[in-house]
Amino acid sequence: MKGIFASKRRLLVGLAASLLLPLAVAQDAPADFSTQAALTLTGEGPWYRLQVPMALQFAARYADLRDIRVFNAEGQAQAYALTLGRAEQQVQVRQTAVKWFPLHGAKDGSGEAPGIRVQRSDGGTLVEVLSETAGKPEQHILRGWLLDASAIEAPLEQLQLDWSSDSDGFQRFSIEASDDLQHWQSWGEGQIARLAFADEQLQQRRINLPGQSARYLRLLWLAPQQAPQLLAAELSSSDRQAKAAPMAWSAALSASSSKPGEYTWELPLALPLERVHISLPQANTLAPVTLYGRRDGTLQWQVLNRSLLYRVPQGGKESVQEHIELYGAPVQQLKLVVDERGGGLGSSAPQITVGLRATELVFLARGTPPYQLVLGNQGAQAANLPLSTLIPGYEPARLSQLGVANVALPTAASAEPLAPVAAATDWKRIGLWAVLLLGVGLLVLMAMSVLRTTQGKP
């Protein structure tokens, strides 16, 4: 009896698995998504990147874009990754040829560093450097060189020298920096070299510097012999500038107003906004404002920020402040309250554009083009891969070298959020659900039958 019951139980489990298998293997199809947009590809593949515009962000069902997909002409989903835009630091390296001036010292190497006096031009650049070393000129030797870096404002990263070929071998020297030629700070030591053997030549002309700013550099050779004659001196400097994270901006959004000085806007979904731009069309506008936000109409309004918007003349120019900074909290509804004591924003309701940190989609193009990007599926689950998995051996510098995908948005999207595309009836999915429900009913009947059989046996 136990064997019969066990065999029936195995039959039930097998039947359940066979019923659920078609639903498990069912994959996303373009018709499952309400918004579809064609993609055009340029550059070298097979990986392509696309900065998702705000019109597509509005068409999504989720702020994290878990319902975004890319399909090829055969309807096959493409492997993809999502990455948020990040602030970067741009480094611009400049190489500047500088003037150099000889520094003489006692031939016996005794005494301190050579004393100097200088003559400058009206712009502050060195014109001549004269030695203050005591003794006859024939008792002096060339101890080093003074480099004029006063025209370089950025931190100094590297020094490159060229010298006469009759001074081969290794050359070691100390490096000191100053801004006033009176007080010197040690920057360590440097070494250059020129070695020749047969027809081969080895040169070391570059010396790394600590990445600090200085107006003058003093190079003093450490060996007792005379310093070599310089032919060229070049300093490399780096200018670092912070580059803000890329932003995605909406088109202009019109306000609704129930009373003077109060304006509201509603977005298609709650988004982590970082900036709001309020257009001030009229000159000489000054308006203290408070911006409120909430995720939906059932919640209380929360203060997002207070600001002073203005468009006024200042110093012979027009000074404009039209932005309000936010902090990435998800909001779907916005309300702007204007302090009317400043004169308000004019007779017409203001328009705003909203911005958030841009999301970049990277996908691996497979199969036959054309490719299309789709969004808008309430039941979709996240299907994106980590970028390091999508691109084996990925390095951040490689991202800018990928091909570029451009999305063809409908003309209406330039003014309003994308209108959903009517999805075709998915009879396949409906059929799968019908089979599943029928199977569940059969399982219940069979389970009841087995239960009655087991209860009727002694």
Side-chain angles (χ1 to χ4, degrees), residues 93-97 152 158 160 206 234-237:
V93 178
R94 294 186 177 89
Q95 296 181 337
T96 307
I152 304 175
Q158 199 172 71
Q160 179 173 300
R206 296 180 181 273
E234 187 177 79
L235 285 168
S236 297
S237 58

Side-chain angles (χ1 to χ4, degrees), residues 101-116:
F101 301 90
L103 297 176
H104 294 91
K107 185 178 293 186
D108 58 6
S110 62
E112 299 179 353
I116 57 174

Side-chain angles (χ1 to χ4, degrees), residues 1-12 449-450 453-454 457:
M1 184 63 194
K2 291 183 178 179
I4 296 175
F5 180 74
S7 63
K8 289 187 176 181
R9 184 173 56 186
R10 287 194 296 269
L11 178 62
L12 290 174
S449 176
V450 171
T453 301
T454 55
K457 296 294 181 178

